[in-house]
Amino acid sequence: MNVSDFDMIAHLLKERSGLVLSQEKAYLLEGRLNPVARRYNFKGFDELAQAIRLARDEKLLSDVTEAMTTNESFFFRDAAPFDQFRDTVLPYLMESRSETKTLRIWSAACSNGQEPYSLAMILKENRAHLSGWHIEIVATDISEKVLENARQGRYSQFEVQRGLPINLLVRYFKQDNERWQIDDSIRNMVDFRHFNLLGRPSSLGQFDVVFCRNVLIYFDPETKTAVLNNIADLMPSDGFLYLGGVETVLGISERFQPIQGQRGVYSLAQDSDSFMVKAAG
Ligand SMILES: C[S@@+](CC[C@H](N)C(=O)[O-])C[C@H]1O[C@@H](n2cnc3c(N)ncnc32)[C@H](O)[C@@H]1O
C-alpha cells in the first residue's frame, strides 16, 4: 500500500468513526480490508483504494469503516466494574430513584452484546428487589454487523467460557448445536440501536448509568473530549460513567471525576460529593 492510499483511508476512518490509525498499523489496514476487496470483487487493494477515493458508494465506505472496528468483548469484562455496579451503584440508584422507580442504562459501544447482557443478568438476578421498576438498557454500536449478532444473542463455546459464571450460563443460556442461545427473558431487556459516538446522542434520552468501555482508546484526545462531554450532557447530576481499565477522564474532560476507591467509575464533577459520602458510609 502506498503512503497516499494509507493517508486517504486513515483520514476517512477518522472522519467516520474517530479511529486514529498510525502508519505502523498499515498492516492492520490491509489485513482487514482485503476481505472487503474480495467481497466487492476488486482485483486487489489498489482497486479498493481507488473506489474509496472516488467515494461514490456509501455502502462501501461504511463497510470499510466497520471492517476496521475492533469488536473484542466478553461477558463481565474485567469483573470489578460489574461487581461495583451490582454492589454499590445499583443499591444507591434503587434508593435514590425509589419514587420514580425508573432506571436507564446505556452501553455505548456494545459490540456483540456481552456488556449489556451482563448488566441485564445482574438486574435479573436482583428482580426480587426491582419488581415494579421500569428499567431500560439501550445498547449502541457503529457496526451493524455486531448489532445483528448482539440481537441474536448466540455465542460460541469460547465466548461463554470467557467471564460468564457457570451458574449464569446454566440459568440463562440454552445449547443449540455449536452455539449457546441467550434466553429471551434477558434478550428482551436490551434495546439494540445503531449509533455513532461522533454524533450527538441527545435523541437517546437521559441515562443514569453509562458504560463506555474500551472504545475511547481508539480516538484522539479531542474526540475523546467531545464524546465524554456529550455523555455528560445526558446524565443527571448523580449519574455514573464506566470506562475501560486503561481509559481515564484525566486531562480529557473536566465534566467527570473519578470516584475514589472505585476504579474505572466516574461521576459528574460538580455533584460527586453526595455519592462519595454515601459510598464511603
Ligand atoms: C473493543 S469493543 C468494546 C466492547 C465493550 N464495550 C467492551 O468493553 O467489551 C469496541 C466497540 O466500539 C465500537 N465503535 C468503534 N467506533 C465507534 C463509534 N464511533 N461509535 C460507536 N461505536 C464505535 C466498535 O464497533 C466495537 O464494537
Side-chain angles (χ1 to χ4, degrees):
M1 183 191 341
N2 62 46
V3 175
S4 132
D5 282 350
F6 175 85
D7 288 347
M8 181 271 297
I9 297 174
H11 179 76
L12 172 97
L13 294 169
K14 167 86 169 34
E15 291 265 289
R16 294 182 71 102
S17 72
L19 176 69
V20 174
L21 214 54
S22 57
Q23 183 79 54
E24 309 88 75
K25 294 275 171 70
Y27 70 92
L28 199 67
L29 203 61
E30 281 205 58
R32 292 203 184 163
L33 294 190
N34 276 331
V36 178
R38 281 197 292 278
R39 228 165 49 231
Y40 277 78
N41 292 324
F42 292 127
K43 286 200 194 75
F45 193 85
D46 292 347
E47 210 176 294
L48 170 67
Q50 182 56 22
I52 295 172
R53 202 180 284 282
L54 291 173
R56 287 209 195 104
D57 184 347
E58 172 54 34
K59 174 85 172 75
L60 172 68
L61 300 185
S62 66
D63 284 352
V64 164
T65 308
E66 260 195 41
M68 290 308 299
T69 58
T70 298
N71 309 122
E72 163 86 353
S73 189
F74 44 97
F75 290 101
F76 298 94
R77 186 172 190 168
D78 304 332
F82 293 92
D83 292 346
Q84 198 276 353
F85 171 76
R86 184 195 58 220
D87 299 337
T88 308
V89 163
L90 186 58
Y92 168 80
L93 290 171
M94 281 164 65
E95 200 186 318
S96 62
R97 312 297 194 256
S98 59
E99 293 274 297
T100 58
K101 287 192 165 29
T102 60
L103 198 54
R104 297 192 80 231
I105 302 171
W106 181 20
S107 169
C110 65
S111 190
N112 292 304
Q114 290 96 328
E115 181 175 280
Y117 285 143
S118 299
L119 293 166
M121 284 184 270
I122 291 175
L123 294 167
K124 195 71 166 175
E125 291 291 294
N126 276 278
R127 62 188 169 283
H129 308 289
L130 289 168
S131 104
W133 279 67
H134 179 67
I135 301 181
E136 266 183 89
I137 304 173
V138 176
T140 62
D141 203 281
I142 195 175
S143 162
E144 292 287 3
K145 186 162 168 272
V146 296
L147 286 169
E148 193 41 47
N149 294 340
R151 285 188 192 104
Q152 284 184 12
R154 290 168 70 76
Y155 296 94
S156 66
Q157 182 72 35
F158 176 67
E159 286 169 315
V160 296
Q161 272 169 346
R162 295 176 85 194
L164 184 65
I166 185 79
N167 61 319
L168 297 184
L169 175 66
V170 171
R171 207 166 300 155
Y172 297 121
F173 291 77
K174 265 207 192 79
Q175 195 162 17
D176 178 12
N177 295 317
E178 305 277 277
R179 312 291 283 178
W180 289 84
Q181 173 67 57
I182 203 162
D183 196 79
D184 277 351
S185 67
I186 300 295
R187 210 158 65 95
N188 294 336
M189 288 172 73
V190 184
D191 177 9
F192 289 101
R193 302 188 203 168
H194 181 262
F195 180 73
N196 185 343
L197 283 167
L198 301 191
R200 291 198 64 82
S202 44
S203 61
L204 298 173
Q206 262 216 335
F207 292 99
D208 304 288
V209 179
V210 178
F211 273 63
C212 184
R213 306 191 67 227
N214 304 301
V215 61
L216 295 180
I217 32 168
Y218 301 106
F219 301 162
D220 66 12
E222 293 75 35
T223 310
K224 288 179 191 180
T225 303
V227 171
L228 287 175
N229 290 348
N230 283 342
I231 291 174
D233 287 343
L234 297 185
M235 287 173 47
S237 57
D238 65 344
F240 298 90
L241 168 71
Y242 288 77
L243 298 181
V246 297
E247 295 163 329
T248 179
V249 301
L250 299 176
I252 302 289
S253 171
E254 290 178 356
R255 303 281 302 277
F256 289 100
Q257 64 181 41
I259 297 178
Q260 262 180 341
Q262 318 268 340
R263 207 175 132 78
V265 195
Y266 300 83
S267 61
L268 284 175
Q270 72 277 15
D271 204 70
S272 57
D273 289 350
S274 57
F275 174 72
M276 290 205 290
V277 169
K278 281 184 174 146

